[in-house]
Amino acid sequence: MEGDIPVLQARGKTAPEAWESSVLSLWEQGVRVKTEYDREGDEPSRDSTMVLVVEEPMAEPRIHLAFPGGIEELEKYRQEVLFGVHDHWIRPEEDKWTYTYHQRLSAYAPVADLSSSRVKSPFPPVDQVRYIIDKLAGSPHSRRAQGITWMPTADPATDDPPCLQRIWCRLIPTGEKGTGSRVQGSGETDAELALNMNTHWRSRDAYKAAFMNIYALTELQNWLAEQIGRKMGRKVAVGRYVDISDSYHIYGAYFKEFSERFLKLVKERPFEKRVWRTDDRRVQAAIQAARDELAKEKRD
Amino acid sequence: MAPVLEELAQAVIEGDGEQVAALVGRALSEGVPPSSIINDGLVAGMNIVGDRFKNGEFFIPEVMMSARSMHHGLGIVKPLLTRSEAVSKGTIVICTVKGDVHDIGKNLVAMMLEGAGFRMIDLGTDVAPEKVVRAVREQSPEILAMSTLLTTTLNRIPETIRALEAAGIRDRVKVMVGGAPVTQAFADRAGADGYAPDAALAVDTARRLLR
């Protein structure tokens, strides 16, 4: 209806399939609307509310080739989100970052002013990632395993507040009808569990940021499943990943590049040629190079 | 041209660093001169990648992978060049401005320019104007390339250009700029000599500035 932001849904077995489908449906069905980042002369952006489902988050191929970087950057971003390798760039007093997702999730401590990293919070930092692991390992039925990023005390006033708002996790038994009574095909009484994860995003650059986000967040889901499983002494599989964006958009400034590269290559190349597997020899070498570089940065 | 050089160019296009290293070794054992391995194999392959990227036929990670494989080959061959062979199309100092630690766009531009035969001096990210001034003074590049991804650090571009003016070396170097929030109008206002809206066009801009 006129005046509504469309609510779109995209689904795929793998992350690249689901992401590509989401961007194509946004392009076809998104509403044309201005954003505060559109530059003079840019066309209005294409926007929607998007619900994106990845059925098997860790299934290969894992990498779509339409992201703005190399494999090294993707691996560094993965480590930024999971392990905080760029938390040292949180130095707003030098015009650098005001946060990272890792910092907000693993050391959430609301402050009233983000202009300096020296401003102290009245609250001790909360490790919400550790909480999710402990909560689900101790109470597998819990619906409270979540972590937030938003600081209403300070974020609204900043130039670049977090897009990711919340992650929510839940364990679901993989036994018959989800009751946990039986592992499928095994006859065992102690069911396997699958870690399902939802991520909620305020605003999202669908074309240039969303795929890297999805890659890193599904890696986080996989890591959380391993940690919970280790703590429980049980196997925890990776369940479906759901990614909900309030504003999922393609900026008008990207339309030329989007049409002349992305849409062209979607039309001209088969899907297998638009993706890479993480076990590809070339990809493995680039991942190792990124790891070596991060290790060197840490030593220096 | 030796068939091994065609295979080498193809390995660069496919971004296969391991294959590139093997083919460089084979070319050397066949007596192909190092300068020819670079120009007719490695750079030739990267030029095709650049053209395909410009025509919307390659994704960015593919360009980065090709550039990586070319680097792999260059690392083997460069030490074997004689002084007279080690001539580049020009030297470019490149950086992301002070306050900005984003390097993806800057790295892509640097790789495309290196693939086009320029000697690149990469100062990295978060580079203060005084460091840029020092590099221009010491390295005497033909071009200084600066980028930023953030609107909050956009004004560091004109600040750096003013620092070159204050140091009395602005006329020694051409300045080209780029990055998501940068426009031609901004580049003109900042006093830059050239602007590239994306990495593919950065090579054209650099060539034009040196004409």
Side-chain angles (χ1 to χ4, degrees):
Chain A
M1 199 177 113
E2 205 170 305
D4 284 353
I5 183 167
V7 183
L8 306 178
Q9 197 183 51
R11 178 180 279 271
K13 180 185 167 194
T14 64
E17 268 179 271
W19 173 76
E20 187 177 281
S21 163
S22 76
V23 177
L24 290 172
S25 66
L26 165 61
W27 180 250
E28 286 157 13
Q29 300 172 62
V31 65
R32 288 149 177 80
V33 64
K34 281 275 180 198
T35 74
E36 61 196 292
Y37 294 125
D38 290 333
R39 302 176 306 188
E40 202 183 317
D42 286 346
E43 282 191 59
S45 298
R46 209 64 63 90
D47 208 344
S48 73
T49 289
M50 177 63 70
V51 180
L52 179 155
V53 182
V54 185
E55 291 162 359
E56 295 181 30
M58 300 311 288
E60 297 283 358
R62 287 271 297 138
I63 302 169
H64 199 291
L65 292 179
F67 71 93
I71 295 298
E72 285 94 333
E73 283 78 20
L74 192 62
E75 169 61 13
K76 286 179 188 175
Y77 181 63
R78 185 188 76 88
Q79 294 207 34
E80 177 185 311
V81 173
L82 268 71
F83 308 124
V85 297
H86 290 150
D87 283 1
H88 60 283
W89 285 345
I90 303 171
R91 291 209 301 270
E93 59 277 18
E94 296 175 21
D95 285 337
K96 290 197 187 131
W97 297 355
T98 52
Y99 70 92
T100 65
Y101 292 147
H102 176 268
Q103 179 235 19
R104 288 284 171 100
L105 291 171
S106 66
Y108 183 86
V111 291
D113 175 11
L114 283 170
S115 64
S116 167
S117 54
R118 284 185 284 276
V119 174
K120 295 290 175 215
S121 171
F123 304 102
V126 180
D127 187 342
Q128 304 177 94
V129 176
R130 175 51 50 193
Y131 162 74
I132 289 171
I133 295 165
D134 292 345
K135 184 72 188 170
L136 289 177
S139 312
H141 296 294
S142 180
R143 293 158 297 179
R144 298 181 190 181
Q146 66 169 3
I148 62 169
T149 64
W150 192 250
M151 284 182 190
T153 49
D155 282 329
T158 63
D159 286 328
D160 192 18
C163 299
L164 175 66
Q165 297 295 297
R166 184 162 73 94
I167 62 172
W168 177 87
C169 298
R170 187 160 191 206
L171 290 173
I172 299 293
T174 58
E176 207 167 69
K177 293 181 182 168
T179 58
S181 60
R182 187 159 61 86
V183 178
Q184 280 177 329
S186 74
E188 288 175 22
T189 51
D190 192 11
E192 269 191 28
L193 295 167
L195 179 71
N196 288 236
M197 185 157 98
N198 295 354
T199 64
H200 297 255
W201 305 75
R202 171 185 61 80
S203 173
R204 203 81 169 286
D205 180 339
Y207 180 46
K208 293 207 174 178
F211 176 72
M212 289 179 82
N213 296 151
I214 292 165
Y215 179 83
L217 268 295
T218 49
E219 288 282 333
L220 177 63
Q221 181 184 4
N222 185 48
W223 183 83
L224 285 168
E226 281 172 12
Q227 298 300 312
I228 294 165
R230 189 168 300 162
K231 190 155 179 144
M232 295 176 84
R234 292 171 71 174
K235 178 168 171 47
V236 174
V238 177
R240 99 287 180 277
Y241 167 84
V242 173
D243 183 297
I244 303 159
S245 304
D246 297 321
S247 166
Y248 193 72
H249 47 260
I250 302 171
Y251 289 114
Y254 303 161
F255 284 4
K256 188 171 184 298
E257 141 90 14
F258 185 81
S259 304
E260 293 176 5
R261 189 182 317 281
F262 180 76
L263 292 180
K264 176 182 155 84
L265 286 169
V266 165
K267 198 172 162 193
E268 289 177 357
R269 284 192 195 184
F271 181 74
E272 310 82 71
K273 300 281 183 191
R274 305 195 292 270
V275 293
W276 276 338
R277 296 176 60 91
T278 56
D279 55 6
D280 181 308
R281 183 166 48 83
R282 299 166 305 165
V283 172
Q284 283 290 315
I287 288 174
Q288 190 54 52
R291 289 177 182 171
D292 292 346
E293 206 177 307
L294 285 171
K296 184 175 178 293
E297 269 175 30
K298 201 173 174 186
R299 281 197 305 274
D300 295 346
Chain B
M1 199 196 333
V4 67
L5 294 177
E6 282 173 27
E7 285 181 58
L8 182 56
Q10 188 56 37
V12 169
I13 294 165
E14 287 167 14
D16 190 339
E18 211 171 284
Q19 182 70 356
V20 164
L23 288 166
V24 165
R26 204 176 100 200
L28 288 169
S29 69
E30 288 178 13
V32 180
S35 60
S36 180
I37 293 175
I38 291 177
N39 295 323
D40 303 323
L42 299 170
V43 172
M46 202 60 208
N47 278 338
I48 293 170
V49 171
D51 287 344
R52 289 189 184 171
F53 181 66
K54 199 157 68 177
N55 294 333
E57 294 164 12
F58 258 35
F59 289 113
I60 291 173
E62 293 174 297
V63 177
M64 304 286 255
M65 197 66 98
S66 291
R68 210 172 161 275
S69 69
M70 179 192 69
H71 263 278
H72 213 55
L74 284 176
I76 302 168
V77 189
K78 265 189 174 172
L80 307 174
L81 289 174
T82 62
R83 187 170 292 212
S84 62
E85 284 175 321
V87 175
S88 77
K89 290 184 176 158
T91 298
I92 300 179
V93 164
I94 191 166
C95 68
T96 306
V97 298
K98 174 82 182 155
D100 191 344
V101 291
H102 294 93
D103 65 358
I104 295 177
K106 184 262 300 169
N107 290 348
L108 181 61
V109 169
M111 287 174 173
M112 299 288 284
L113 290 168
E114 185 169 37
F118 293 95
R119 183 172 80 97
M120 299 304 299
I121 298 170
D122 189 345
L123 302 182
T125 61
D126 185 25
V127 180
E130 52 273 27
K131 192 172 173 189
V132 173
V133 167
R134 198 161 55 241
V136 169
R137 202 171 256 147
E138 291 170 2
Q139 304 288 341
S140 302
E142 280 81 11
I143 294 174
L144 164 66
M146 284 188 285
S147 79
T148 185
L149 181 76
L150 305 172
T151 48
T152 48
T153 50
L154 199 49
N155 283 328
R156 294 290 160 80
I157 287 177
E159 274 173 39
T160 307
I161 293 175
R162 283 201 296 275
L164 292 171
E165 287 166 356
I169 55 173
R170 174 65 184 88
D171 56 353
R172 286 195 211 167
V173 66
K174 300 281 187 188
V175 177
M176 59 185 273
V177 297
V182 181
T183 60
Q184 180 67 60
F186 177 84
D188 293 341
R189 282 199 303 276
D193 302 298
Y195 158 71
D198 59 44
L201 292 171
V203 174
D204 294 344
T205 304
R207 285 178 179 146
R208 184 171 48 75
L209 288 176
L210 295 187
R211 241 181 247 146

